[in-house]
Amino acid sequence: MNQTKYIFVTGGVTSSLGKGIIAASLAKLLQARGYRTTIQKFDPYINVDPGTLNPYEHGECYVTDDGAETDLDLGHYERFLNVPTSQANNVTTGRVYLSVIEKERRGEFLGKTVQVVPHITNEIKERMQLLGNSGNYDIVITEIGGTVGDIESLPYIESVRQLIWDLGESNSIVIHLTLVPYLAAAGELKTKPTQHSVKTLMESGIKADILVCRTEHELSDELRQKMASFCNVSRDSVIQSIDVSTIYEVPNLMLEEGLDVVTLKKLNLPKKNTPDLKNWNVFLQHLKNPKHVVNIGLIGKYVELQDSYKSILEAFIHAGAANETKVNVVSVHSEYIDAHNVGEKFKDLDGVLVAPGFGERGIEGKIEAVRYAREKNIPFFGICLGMQMAVIEYSRNVLGLKDSNSTEMNEGTANPVIDLMEEQKTVTDKGGTMRLGSWKCDIKDNTLARMIYGKAQIEERHRHRYEYNGEYAESLEKSGLKSSGINPDTGLVEIVELPNHPFFIGVQYHPEYKSTVANPHPLFVSFVEATVKAKKK
Ligand code: GLN
């Protein structure tokens, strides 16, 4: 077996430079050149996973097939590469320490003092090589979360230093992302922050091999030369990453800048074929030249932060391109929707998506949004909590059970149409205990869902504790709300829909996690198509 090569991606100067997008773009190019490539992310926080974080803290929690609650960057990896990730692709400091402490309790280090070096660093190094050692990959890209110089990233940086040494010549490189700010007053781009952050990295014993410089303006040759010589890298290792209108342009930009070529050169790997980005560019072409425009309301309570609904926004981009349609996602805060203002708030919307979520805040607004979309024949799509709200709304306003609710919102409700799943009733811990990951769903014949998916069985990813209460299924079905998708093993209702409506579908799972550039999710594609039709009418 050939030696797996490792690429470490670090960040300097500031956070939010887009390490995840650069890592995903480079991976895309290497993949397109014929290298089996994967990406993993190491996060410096102490939560064992981001599942216990509020979206305001860290953006969306992304869920993998194997049920890991992970950083949203894994979503970018999947959307770019079209290859599923897993638990092994995301490690946090909390997970590392938990594992080391458990080993200590079992006596695996008996007699020794357990320390950051070597015990924590060994654990990190082992996890950094887990995917590489599987034999499934030629290249593993490891993104180190946080910014170089942070106290909490030190053990990772030290582990990278050791691992580079362990792996030996040409088997690993470090790509350092920095910011080259533009000082308007001076009318100049400034390289000093880059020099300082490369130096900080150097103090930890790591030499950056390639610099990716985030900038709002073109870097001149002179400036590139200066950074190369002051930061000890070759001239072709100074890569410009200029601001672009969509993250999906970044792979092409990195190709133009030669990031993949210089990476392969430093790893002593052949260039193989020129990357084939034909399908990718067709997607970009559609994305940039839409024939239609629609406004879709995203009804949620974390709308202030873009990253809270990252995968949903990206799924709309994929589905929009598939329909040659620009989807304007209009965020509507569910807390401020009521029966009096819903008409005004929704007057320009061609479709309504009620978002996933937890807890009571903003619930009545979501129910009102469903009612409006249902009664006014506006295409409706409910995801997870959004599906649950659709069931409650129907039960209250069509079935006439006015006090219907989810026991998540009102434990003592007389009509718990949404109730805690049986297996959740004994669960007390909050971390990693939801119904997570991929589960099967059988789709009934002659339903909208069946038509959209074009098959009788699907697998989708989940993240929930509550479910559609089967005791109400018969009466809800009779009054018109169809259960069109069912888990074959447990009978759990996965999809509800309304016939005699232009488009009304609610799903207990999260289709947004599986939408990629290569495979836009069929539910999003059909929903966008329905909004285009609705608008024409
Ligand atoms: N809070 C709901 C549940 O736990 C929905 C979860 C979600 O939208 N992801 O079932």
Side-chain angles (χ1 to χ4, degrees):
M1 192 184 80
N2 288 335
Q3 161 78 45
T4 306
K5 306 271 182 167
Y6 289 83
I7 300 171
F8 300 101
V9 180
T10 58
V13 186
T14 122
S15 56
S16 305
L17 287 180
K19 282 194 299 263
I21 302 297
I22 292 296
S25 300
L26 175 59
K28 175 83 210 158
L29 296 177
L30 297 172
Q31 184 195 51
R33 279 187 188 272
Y35 287 100
R36 299 168 306 158
T37 309
T38 190
I39 320 179
Q40 54 188 6
K41 174 141 195 216
F42 282 66
D43 275 311
Y45 52 76
I46 296 173
N47 303 62
V48 172
D49 58 49
T52 50
L53 287 170
N54 184 308
Y56 288 129
E57 291 278 321
H58 203 64
E60 161 193 283
C61 172
Y62 186 75
V63 178
T64 58
D65 279 333
D66 66 348
E69 296 179 285
T70 74
D71 186 79
L72 59 81
D73 271 347
L74 269 73
H76 290 309
Y77 307 162
E78 290 203 11
R79 290 187 280 272
F80 276 55
L81 298 182
N82 198 37
V83 176
T85 56
S86 68
Q87 180 67 74
N89 293 75
N90 191 198
V91 176
T92 70
T93 294
R95 190 169 294 279
V96 169
Y97 271 79
L98 184 65
S99 162
V100 170
I101 291 169
E102 280 169 358
K103 285 179 186 167
E104 187 277 333
R105 291 290 82 183
R106 286 198 297 270
E108 286 185 31
F109 310 117
L110 217 52
K112 291 284 177 207
T113 311
V114 180
Q115 295 179 295
V116 173
V117 181
H119 300 95
I120 295 296
T121 48
N122 282 349
E123 181 79 25
I124 293 173
K125 285 199 291 178
E126 210 175 281
R127 286 171 181 265
M128 281 179 173
Q129 294 175 96
L130 210 61
L131 289 167
N133 290 342
S134 70
N136 296 331
Y137 302 102
D138 306 310
I139 300 175
V140 176
I141 302 181
T142 304
E143 181 191 343
I144 308 291
T147 309
V148 164
D150 293 350
I151 293 174
E152 55 259 49
S153 25
L154 279 176
Y156 293 113
I157 299 295
E158 167 59 14
S159 304
V160 170
R161 187 197 64 76
Q162 292 180 20
L163 199 49
I164 291 171
W165 192 87
D166 296 345
L167 291 165
E169 276 298 281
S170 304
N171 289 326
S172 67
I173 56 164
V174 173
I175 298 181
H176 189 58
L177 231 87
T178 76
L179 176 71
V180 180
Y182 179 75
L183 283 195
E188 271 180 47
L189 285 163
K190 292 296 184 188
T191 65
K192 196 79 82 186
T194 300
Q195 295 177 43
H196 277 296
S197 93
V198 168
K199 203 163 145 189
T200 307
L201 198 54
M202 201 85 107
E203 280 165 10
S204 305
I206 295 179
K207 182 188 169 304
D209 298 290
I210 296 174
L211 299 179
V212 175
C213 307
R214 185 72 189 269
T215 174
E216 290 172 13
H217 300 272
E218 294 280 337
L219 301 179
S220 67
D221 254 351
E222 200 188 340
L223 214 72
R224 291 176 188 237
Q225 187 61 49
K226 181 176 165 188
M227 278 192 283
S229 74
F230 284 16
C231 299
N232 264 319
V233 298
S234 54
R235 170 60 190 77
D236 59 353
S237 297
V238 179
I239 304 290
Q240 163 182 293
S241 167
I242 201 154
D243 290 2
V244 274
S245 58
T246 156
I247 55 170
Y248 296 105
E249 277 188 70
V250 180
N252 281 311
L253 282 191
M254 291 304 112
L255 181 65
E256 277 167 35
E257 285 283 316
L259 176 60
D260 54 334
V261 172
V262 68
T263 295
L264 291 172
K265 186 170 90 183
K266 291 191 184 283
L267 288 173
N268 221 352
L269 288 172
K271 280 195 262 182
K272 296 199 191 173
N273 46 299
T274 321
D276 176 6
L277 295 178
K278 209 170 85 227
N279 293 340
W280 186 271
N281 288 331
V282 168
F283 157 78
L284 269 181
Q285 191 64 23
H286 287 162
L287 183 64
K288 287 172 149 182
N289 302 290
K291 296 195 175 117
H292 322 276
V293 185
V294 292
N295 296 325
I296 296 183
L298 171 62
I299 322 303
K301 66 172 174 180
Y302 309 111
V303 292
E304 299 89 343
L305 187 78
Q306 276 270 320
D307 278 355
S308 306
Y309 300 111
K310 195 75 201 165
S311 294
I312 292 178
L313 298 180
E314 299 303 322
F316 272 130
I317 292 176
H318 310 151
N323 282 287
E324 294 182 75
T325 298
K326 170 151 181 45
V327 178
N328 287 324
V329 178
V330 183
S331 297
V332 187
H333 205 306
S334 55
E335 238 181 313
Y336 310 123
I337 300 174
D338 58 39
H340 305 291
N341 64 22
V342 64
E344 177 59 23
K345 279 190 192 287
F346 285 18
K347 71 177 189 314
D348 296 324
L349 299 183
D350 306 305
V352 169
L353 183 145
V354 176
F358 296 84
E360 211 197 331
R361 188 167 68 94
I363 281 308
E364 293 303 323
K366 285 187 170 172
I367 294 172
E368 200 48 49
V370 181
R371 183 191 64 77
Y372 193 82
R374 181 177 59 76
E375 291 180 352
K376 303 285 179 204
N377 286 322
I378 302 170
F380 165 83
F381 188 10
I383 298 183
C384 207
L385 185 69
M387 172 266 202
Q388 298 176 353
M389 294 303 107
V391 174
I392 294 173
E393 191 277 325
Y394 208 80
S395 176
R396 283 188 190 176
N397 299 328
V398 180
L399 207 54
L401 303 175
K402 289 288 171 209
D403 48 5
S404 298
N405 213 333
S406 162
T407 49
E408 181 180 5
M409 319 308 161
N410 176 2
E411 233 176 311
T413 179
N415 284 298
V417 288
I418 304 295
D419 199 8
L420 195 60
M421 281 180 278
E422 198 52 42
E423 71 266 28
Q424 286 285 331
K425 292 189 175 155
T426 49
V427 172
T428 50
D429 281 3
K430 291 282 183 237
T433 55
M434 283 188 241
R435 177 172 180 253
L436 290 164
S438 204
W439 295 90
K440 285 198 179 82
C441 165
D442 284 344
I443 307 181
K444 292 183 187 156
D445 287 343
N446 305 315
T447 59
L448 176 63
R450 180 63 188 268
M451 194 191 76
I452 291 172
Y453 278 98
K455 51 183 171 183
Q457 192 176 67
I458 54 164
E459 279 182 41
E460 292 278 6
R461 300 181 194 173
H462 297 73
R463 183 172 187 248
H464 65 123
R465 292 188 204 282
Y466 294 82
E467 65 175 333
Y468 180 158
N469 183 348
E471 285 176 26
Y472 291 86
E474 207 188 307
S475 42
L476 280 165
E477 281 265 354
K478 273 197 189 131
S479 69
L481 186 68
K482 296 270 167 285
S483 307
S484 51
I486 309 280
N487 177 298
D489 306 315
T490 64
L492 182 137
V493 176
E494 296 276 8
I495 312 175
V496 296
E497 61 181 70
L498 277 183
N500 308 322
H501 187 283
F503 187 101
F504 189 104
I505 201 158
V507 294
Q508 185 56 74
Y509 49 84
H510 292 262
E512 69 275 22
Y513 294 143
K514 281 178 79 165
S515 186
T516 69
V517 168
N519 279 317
H521 197 285
L523 280 173
F524 278 87
V525 174
S526 299
F527 178 49
V528 170
E529 194 189 343
T531 62
V532 174
K533 271 194 205 142
K535 189 177 178 179
K536 278 191 186 142
K537 273 195 184 159

